[in-house]
């Protein structure tokens, strides 16, 4: 019994998303599943002004 962790990370090596699959699963079909799970939070609150 084996397993694989398919992981996406940012430039600072912080994980953005991951998918856990059986070890026999191929890597290519899981690529889209990993990308679909990425959630990037936007700015919170009122926009800043420089005026």
């Amino acid at each position: 019994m084996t397993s694989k962790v398919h992981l996406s990370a940012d430039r600072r090596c912080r994980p953005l998303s991951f998918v856990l699959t059986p070890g026999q699963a191929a890597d290519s079909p899981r690529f889209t599943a990993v990308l679909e799970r990425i959630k990037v939070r936007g700015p919170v609150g009122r926009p800043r002004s420089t005026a």
Side-chain angles (χ1 to χ4, degrees), residues 3-33:
S3 61
K4 287 185 182 178
V5 175
H6 305 273
L7 178 78
S8 64
D10 65 1
R11 290 183 185 183
R12 294 182 179 178
C13 300
R14 295 179 293 194
L16 297 173
S17 69
F18 74 93
V19 175
L20 186 63
T21 60
Q24 298 83 2
D27 294 331
S28 298
R30 305 296 179 227
F31 180 71
T32 54

